[in-house]
Amino acid sequence: DCPLTLIAGPCQLESLDHAQMIAGTMKEACEAAGAQYVFKASYDKANRTSLSGRRGMGIEAGLQALQSVRDAIGVPVLTDVHTEAQCAIAAEVADIIQVPAFLCRQTDMLLAAGNSGAVVNVKKGQFLAPWEMVNVVDKIESTGNTRILLTERGVSFGYNTLVADMRSLPEMAKTGYPVVMDATHSVQQPGGRGGSSGGQREFAPVMARAAVAVGVGAVFIETHDDPDNAPSDGPNMIHLSDMPELIATLMQFDAVAKSHPVKI
Amino acid sequence: DCPLTLIAGPCQLESLDHAQMIAGTMKEACEAAGAQYVFKASYDKANRTSLSGRRGMGIEAGLQALQSVRDAIGVPVLTDVHTEAQCAIAAEVADIIQVPAFLCRQTDMLLAAGNSGAVVNVKKGQFLAPWEMVNVVDKIESTGNTRILLTERGVSFGYNTLVADMRSLPEMAKTGYPVVMDATHSVQQPGGRGGSSGGQREFAPVMARAAVAVGVGAVFIETHDDPDNAPSDGPNMIHLSDMPELIATLMQFDAVAKSHPVKI
Amino acid sequence: DCPLTLIAGPCQLESLDHAQMIAGTMKEACEAAGAQYVFKASYDKANRTSLSGRRGMGIEAGLQALQSVRDAIGVPVLTDVHTEAQCAIAAEVADIIQVPAFLCRQTDMLLAAGNSGAVVNVKKGQFLAPWEMVNVVDKIESTGNTRILLTERGVSFGYNTLVADMRSLPEMAKTGYPVVMDATHSVQQPGGRGGSSGGQREFAPVMARAAVAVGVGAVFIETHDDPDNAPSDGPNMIHLSDMPELIATLMQFDAVAKSHPVKI
Amino acid sequence: DCPLTLIAGPCQLESLDHAQMIAGTMKEACEAAGAQYVFKASYDKANRTSLSGRRGMGIEAGLQALQSVRDAIGVPVLTDVHTEAQCAIAAEVADIIQVPAFLCRQTDMLLAAGNSGAVVNVKKGQFLAPWEMVNVVDKIESTGNTRILLTERGVSFGYNTLVADMRSLPEMAKTGYPVVMDATHSVQQPGGRGGSSGGQREFAPVMARAAVAVGVGAVFIETHDDPDNAPSDGPNMIHLSDMPELIATLMQFDAVAKSHPVKI
């Protein structure tokens, strides 16, 4: 098994400079710790809690920013898509395109993502059991694309609350595809602030540590130099300056986990 | 308050004749009981559990079938839409277009639905608290469209299970819009049969009775002359021959409920 | 099927006069509406959220108060028991002894309750599926006592929240025993105020109406002349002055429900 | 922080020889890995799913067996208590007495446990939020006893299912008391086999690894030389022969976790 990959970035793209700054800082921290790194950011937030939530740069400017990160920083990039038509367009720049959790059962979306040729990361819906992801995988595989990642981002647990079930990680790994733990969205409190989502930033490292000890291919973390003023997901983001130490710790857990794999 | 409306039909369109047969039977039963009636059927099932699930007639043939129901039977029709582009097209025929539960936070979808000019019925996501529907309403209202229906169809409760929280009905009614109880999907067992969803048909009347006693504008029920062989949602559908008695009973509860409204 | 029974009272006993006042008011309201009535109150609250919560009169004074209600008002009384030893003692006065939800799987408690000879009402645990109540019934029946009531009082739904699943009512009725809907505890927010439980009083009638329309033997409601100052469960109690109208409405739903029983 | 403690044993006591065999094997494995060890077994199973479930040796014979483990093997022992009266009796032998999850809010039980002078381990109820444990702690502390352990054993997640929320570990640690992860009960499927509980033994190491990486004082594991024929909890027990390797792995995670404590 390869060492852990970090998929991390500022949730939504804000500017070329900002994207490159985050990517550069993260790349350095990951290299120092022996982790692989993928930059993540969204060009559009298509399902904000309320209409007044900032949506982002849009697909054209966003993809340019992602391209600049690839070129200037030299790291692969991941972005999420929101319609079938966006899949092929985003795949021209992004190494990995991501199907959002709410859309994880939309058949045409999964087919378009598969047909894009990019690696496809699917977030498990908040309403889905981990063993249902095999049906999601089947839909993508039907396109001939077998470069698939499956992400845990929490499951509905009462109102405005998610819980991350650690059993879902080995359960999804039964598909044979790498499993990703989304440590920041799984501590989101959806709609928890009325017009926006709340979050419990302090618990994101808890989720990351637990998942890495169980054994995962990657950890997904949203990070920002100023989380309290980030345009989205601020409440559950980890401060950029806290990332190097967290990554170093995760790599120590990863080394133990990879040398003693869980058998399910 | 008006008497109860029944929104009912065969889940997915199968043929013109079948659609008209169901619509005609239901219209007669509703008229006999003093209920209003809206025919419901889907031209596409865009989020089947597995790729092998039958998807339906497609939008063109489906809308023709819906038009034939309007013309031949003389009842309003409801159908669900799956992309922004479908909203305006479906609204040319459908009196009510429905935003599926998984898509209930997709901003562009809600705007397109609102802009279609049709009545918009939004199913509350299985991952959403009832008080979050006010944000959904805001998105639609921003288009100037205020003909909105809000539907309870169950909320995630552990894996492969939904529960219908009766508090959600008066909670959503605080928006001022009519509330619909989806009595058949709320007894669905999502993904409960591995490659397809299970259901507990026998409990659908339980949900309908409970909701009508709380007080709702409409009840949504999928019905079929041969549920065990219906192309989708068979396990939770009510047999067409059981509908007249159920509707008559619901109208008796509705009369009591409407004369003693719940005050929240 | 008999008309609906109301099991109602002030949660915890405060004084003889207070108990008789509530019992008298409720008896009158029930007689006016054609409902049967059972007075309910606790002599001890053995599982308060925090140590500082008031526990009640104690078993000796409490049973005297209950006896006075039986004698002066002429209604049957229900009280809850907290240890095996209390079962026989409480049964000397109480017509119905109640096993609390947290204790519903304690085998010795159920045996002691059955052996008391009183009618035994068991509240379904917040952690229990309705189909598990058959095991609870078996334990009581093993004593030869077959006068059993089964009560729905909500099931855990995330943290500090309960949800009432209306399917549990016909599910528990499969045992053949009368089912009771606890309309006030099912809108409790356990531990929701830190050192005490919160509640949503306004939704208690919603639960009662829904359950009666599904079909139940009894509705359980905590009521008080001054809920905001009641020593326990105030946030979810119904004001005594609101009871007559609620009971009258419930009886109308009950008449419809009993003439059209749900078939499961 | 001290190295990890293992609390482990055969769920219910079967015989002196069996108890000593398990305790001896476990002691050796823990010493080899540098872990502390506490033997755990029950003299009574007071809340079996069904009446026919085997209950155990009873308190007298059970405490003798526990005493023999202390004497012959030289390890501390933990056992669970089921009534107030048992607290003082069990505390004569047991180093740690345990309040079962269903009883974790019974005030008199917590006071009796505190007054016994033994270390008190409280299992968090399946219906309780982790932040409510502070009220449990207050009740015990009121007796002057501040030797308290708090155990996560899963929280209700729909019917017949538990989920372990890793956030509960640091949340309970805010009380200042050591936190224990019960890795086997948290993968129980309560009532999942109709007349008995099911379980997912294969996921118990997942829970243990995750929790140790987050950082806990102890892990609680039920283990048996023949889990499929154990009198209780067989489906979720770990085979005794798998324990040495698991403990060794956990100690590696523990070393990383203790040198990089989570800050909440």
Side-chain angles (χ1 to χ4, degrees):
Chain A
D1 272 335
C2 311
L4 191 69
T5 295
L6 264 285
I7 302 173
C11 187
Q12 80 172 241
L13 289 161
E14 299 174 35
S15 72
L16 253 74
D17 284 354
H18 188 256
Q20 292 185 18
M21 182 277 288
I22 302 255
T25 307
M26 281 300 303
K27 185 191 182 191
E28 198 176 331
C30 286
E31 278 176 356
Q36 304 187 72
Y37 175 56
V38 175
F39 177 77
K40 183 269 162 178
S42 301
Y43 52 80
D44 184 19
K45 307 308 289 181
N47 57 22
R48 297 300 302 256
T49 302
S50 67
L51 192 59
S52 59
R54 274 160 63 186
R55 292 202 39 172
M57 298 179 86
I59 190 164
E60 197 171 345
L63 291 178
Q64 284 169 11
L66 290 172
Q67 184 64 54
S68 84
V69 167
R70 295 186 87 226
D71 295 343
I73 313 297
V75 294
V77 302
L78 174 154
T79 199
D80 43 340
V81 290
H82 311 286
T83 64
E84 298 151 44
Q86 290 178 0
C87 292
I89 300 168
E92 285 173 25
V93 172
D95 302 87
I96 307 174
I97 62 174
Q98 178 173 289
V99 178
F102 292 157
L103 306 183
C104 78
R105 271 184 52 166
Q106 302 296 316
T107 304
D108 292 335
M109 185 75 176
L110 294 166
L111 298 180
N115 283 321
S116 77
V119 176
V120 180
N121 180 31
V122 188
K123 293 214 173 174
K124 178 166 66 62
Q126 298 89 337
F127 45 81
L128 213 72
W131 44 85
E132 295 185 70
M133 286 299 274
V134 70
N135 295 311
V136 170
V137 162
D138 283 349
K139 292 180 183 179
I140 302 172
E141 284 181 339
S142 77
T143 67
N145 189 337
T146 57
R147 301 196 300 156
I148 301 174
L149 305 173
L150 303 176
T151 298
E152 170 64 39
R153 51 93 76 236
V155 59
S156 286
F157 180 64
Y159 292 132
N160 302 312
T161 311
L162 301 171
V163 67
D165 181 354
M166 292 296 147
R167 291 172 298 195
S168 74
L169 305 173
E171 184 68 39
M172 291 197 290
K174 289 180 184 172
T175 61
Y177 292 106
V179 170
V180 182
M181 179 71 200
D182 181 341
T184 40
H185 286 97
S186 59
V187 297
Q188 208 183 28
Q189 296 170 315
R193 293 182 164 185
S196 67
S197 290
Q200 298 176 299
R201 185 188 300 161
E202 68 275 25
F203 288 110
V206 168
M207 295 298 161
R209 291 165 69 127
V212 169
V214 174
V216 288
V219 171
F220 179 112
I221 293 177
E222 293 192 333
T223 184
H224 200 276
D225 51 304
D226 185 8
D228 291 332
N229 294 301
S232 53
D233 271 337
N236 46 288
M237 276 176 164
I238 294 183
H239 199 290
L240 186 61
S241 64
D242 292 335
M243 289 297 289
E245 188 184 338
L246 175 58
I247 297 169
T249 303
L250 294 180
M251 292 312 288
Q252 291 189 45
F253 285 117
D254 188 59
V256 181
K258 296 282 161 71
S259 63
H260 302 282
V262 162
K263 300 171 195 98
I264 299 284
Chain B
D1 272 335
C2 312
L4 191 68
T5 295
L6 263 286
I7 302 173
C11 187
Q12 79 172 243
L13 288 162
E14 299 174 36
S15 72
L16 254 74
D17 283 354
H18 188 255
Q20 293 185 17
M21 182 275 289
I22 302 255
T25 307
M26 282 300 304
K27 185 192 182 191
E28 198 176 332
C30 286
E31 278 177 357
Q36 303 188 71
Y37 175 55
V38 176
F39 177 76
K40 183 269 163 178
S42 301
Y43 54 78
D44 184 19
K45 307 307 290 180
N47 57 22
R48 297 300 302 256
T49 302
S50 68
L51 192 59
S52 59
R54 274 160 64 186
R55 293 200 41 172
M57 298 178 87
I59 190 165
E60 196 171 347
L63 292 177
Q64 283 169 10
L66 291 172
Q67 185 65 54
S68 83
V69 167
R70 295 186 88 226
D71 295 342
I73 314 297
V75 294
V77 302
L78 174 153
T79 199
D80 44 338
V81 290
H82 311 285
T83 65
E84 299 151 43
Q86 289 178 1
C87 292
I89 299 169
E92 286 172 26
V93 172
D95 302 87
I96 307 174
I97 63 174
Q98 178 172 289
V99 178
F102 291 157
L103 306 183
C104 77
R105 272 185 52 167
Q106 302 298 315
T107 304
D108 292 334
M109 186 76 178
L110 294 166
L111 298 179
N115 283 322
S116 77
V119 176
V120 179
N121 179 30
V122 188
K123 293 215 174 174
K124 178 166 66 63
Q126 298 88 338
F127 44 81
L128 212 72
W131 45 84
E132 294 185 72
M133 286 298 274
V134 70
N135 295 310
V136 170
V137 162
D138 282 349
K139 292 181 183 179
I140 302 173
E141 283 181 340
S142 77
T143 67
N145 189 337
T146 57
R147 299 196 302 157
I148 302 173
L149 305 173
L150 303 177
T151 298
E152 170 65 38
R153 52 92 75 236
V155 59
S156 286
F157 179 64
Y159 293 132
N160 301 312
T161 312
L162 301 171
V163 67
D165 181 354
M166 292 296 146
R167 291 172 297 194
S168 74
L169 304 173
E171 185 67 39
M172 292 197 290
K174 289 180 184 172
T175 61
Y177 292 107
V179 171
V180 182
M181 178 71 200
D182 181 341
T184 40
H185 285 97
S186 60
V187 297
Q188 208 182 29
Q189 295 169 316
R193 293 182 165 185
S196 67
S197 289
Q200 298 176 300
R201 185 188 301 163
E202 68 275 24
F203 288 110
V206 167
M207 294 299 161
R209 290 165 69 129
V212 169
V214 174
V216 288
V219 171
F220 178 111
I221 293 176
E222 294 193 333
T223 184
H224 200 277
D225 50 305
D226 185 9
D228 291 332
N229 294 301
S232 53
D233 271 337
N236 46 289
M237 277 175 162
I238 294 183
H239 199 289
L240 186 60
S241 63
D242 292 334
M243 290 297 289
E245 188 183 338
L246 175 59
I247 297 169
T249 302
L250 294 180
M251 292 313 289
Q252 292 189 44
F253 285 117
D254 187 58
V256 180
K258 296 281 160 71
S259 62
H260 302 282
V262 161
K263 301 171 196 99
I264 299 284
Chain C
D1 272 335
C2 311
L4 191 69
T5 295
L6 265 285
I7 302 172
C11 187
Q12 79 172 243
L13 289 161
E14 300 174 36
S15 72
L16 255 73
D17 284 353
H18 188 255
Q20 293 184 18
M21 182 275 289
I22 302 254
T25 307
M26 280 301 303
K27 185 192 183 192
E28 196 176 334
C30 287
E31 278 177 355
Q36 303 187 73
Y37 174 57
V38 176
F39 177 77
K40 182 268 163 179
S42 301
Y43 53 79
D44 183 19
K45 308 306 291 179
N47 58 23
R48 296 301 302 254
T49 302
S50 68
L51 193 58
S52 59
R54 276 160 62 186
R55 291 201 40 172
M57 298 178 87
I59 189 163
E60 197 170 346
L63 291 177
Q64 284 169 11
L66 290 172
Q67 185 64 54
S68 85
V69 167
R70 294 187 88 226
D71 294 343
I73 314 296
V75 294
V77 302
L78 174 154
T79 198
D80 43 339
V81 290
H82 311 285
T83 64
E84 298 151 43
Q86 291 179 0
C87 292
I89 300 168
E92 286 172 24
V93 172
D95 302 88
I96 307 174
I97 62 173
Q98 178 173 289
V99 177
F102 292 157
L103 306 182
C104 77
R105 272 185 51 166
Q106 302 297 315
T107 303
D108 292 336
M109 185 75 177
L110 294 165
L111 298 180
N115 284 322
S116 77
V119 177
V120 180
N121 180 30
V122 188
K123 293 215 173 174
K124 178 167 66 63
Q126 298 86 339
F127 45 80
L128 213 71
W131 44 85
E132 294 185 72
M133 287 297 274
V134 70
N135 295 312
V136 171
V137 162
D138 282 349
K139 292 181 182 177
I140 302 172
E141 284 182 340
S142 77
T143 67
N145 188 338
T146 57
R147 299 196 301 156
I148 301 173
L149 304 174
L150 303 177
T151 297
E152 169 65 39
R153 51 92 76 236
V155 58
S156 286
F157 179 64
Y159 292 132
N160 302 313
T161 311
L162 301 171
V163 67
D165 182 354
M166 292 296 147
R167 291 171 297 194
S168 73
L169 304 172
E171 185 67 40
M172 291 197 292
K174 289 180 184 172
T175 61
Y177 292 107
V179 170
V180 183
M181 178 72 202
D182 181 341
T184 40
H185 286 97
S186 59
V187 298
Q188 209 182 29
Q189 296 170 315
R193 292 182 165 185
S196 67
S197 290
Q200 299 176 298
R201 184 188 300 162
E202 68 274 24
F203 288 111
V206 167
M207 294 299 161
R209 291 165 68 127
V212 170
V214 174
V216 288
V219 171
F220 179 111
I221 293 176
E222 294 192 332
T223 184
H224 200 276
D225 51 305
D226 185 8
D228 291 332
N229 294 302
S232 53
D233 272 337
N236 45 289
M237 277 176 163
I238 294 183
H239 199 290
L240 186 60
S241 64
D242 293 333
M243 290 297 288
E245 187 184 338
L246 175 59
I247 298 169
T249 302
L250 294 180
M251 292 313 288
Q252 291 190 44
F253 285 119
D254 188 57
V256 180
K258 295 281 161 71
S259 62
H260 302 282
V262 161
K263 299 168 197 103
I264 299 284
Chain D
D1 272 334
C2 310
L4 191 68
T5 295
L6 264 284
I7 303 173
C11 187
Q12 79 171 243
L13 288 161
E14 299 173 36
S15 72
L16 255 74
D17 284 354
H18 188 256
Q20 293 184 19
M21 182 276 289
I22 302 254
T25 307
M26 281 299 304
K27 185 192 183 191
E28 197 176 332
C30 286
E31 278 177 356
Q36 302 187 73
Y37 175 56
V38 176
F39 177 77
K40 182 269 163 178
S42 301
Y43 53 79
D44 184 19
K45 307 307 291 180
N47 57 22
R48 297 301 302 256
T49 302
S50 67
L51 192 58
S52 59
R54 275 160 63 185
R55 292 202 39 172
M57 298 178 86
I59 190 162
E60 196 171 346
L63 291 177
Q64 284 169 9
L66 291 171
Q67 185 64 54
S68 84
V69 167
R70 294 186 88 226
D71 295 343
I73 314 296
V75 294
V77 303
L78 174 153
T79 198
D80 43 340
V81 290
H82 311 286
T83 64
E84 299 151 43
Q86 290 178 0
C87 292
I89 300 169
E92 286 172 26
V93 173
D95 302 88
I96 308 174
I97 62 173
Q98 178 173 289
V99 177
F102 292 157
L103 306 183
C104 77
R105 273 184 51 166
Q106 301 297 316
T107 303
D108 292 336
M109 185 76 178
L110 294 166
L111 298 180
N115 284 323
S116 76
V119 177
V120 180
N121 179 31
V122 188
K123 293 215 173 174
K124 178 167 66 63
Q126 298 87 337
F127 45 81
L128 213 72
W131 44 85
E132 294 185 70
M133 287 298 275
V134 70
N135 295 312
V136 170
V137 162
D138 282 350
K139 292 180 183 179
I140 301 172
E141 283 180 340
S142 76
T143 67
N145 189 337
T146 57
R147 300 196 301 155
I148 301 174
L149 305 173
L150 303 177
T151 297
E152 169 65 38
R153 51 94 75 237
V155 59
S156 286
F157 180 63
Y159 292 132
N160 301 313
T161 311
L162 301 171
V163 66
D165 182 354
M166 293 296 147
R167 292 171 297 195
S168 74
L169 305 172
E171 184 68 40
M172 292 197 290
K174 289 180 184 173
T175 60
Y177 291 106
V179 171
V180 182
M181 178 72 202
D182 181 341
T184 41
H185 286 97
S186 59
V187 298
Q188 210 182 27
Q189 296 170 314
R193 293 182 165 186
S196 68
S197 290
Q200 299 176 299
R201 184 187 301 161
E202 68 275 24
F203 288 110
V206 168
M207 295 299 161
R209 292 164 68 128
V212 169
V214 174
V216 288
V219 171
F220 179 111
I221 293 177
E222 294 193 332
T223 184
H224 200 277
D225 51 304
D226 185 8
D228 291 332
N229 295 301
S232 53
D233 271 337
N236 45 290
M237 278 176 161
I238 294 183
H239 199 289
L240 185 61
S241 64
D242 292 333
M243 289 298 288
E245 188 184 337
L246 175 59
I247 297 169
T249 302
L250 294 180
M251 292 313 288
Q252 292 190 45
F253 285 117
D254 188 57
V256 180
K258 297 280 161 70
S259 62
H260 303 282
V262 162
K263 299 169 197 103
I264 299 284

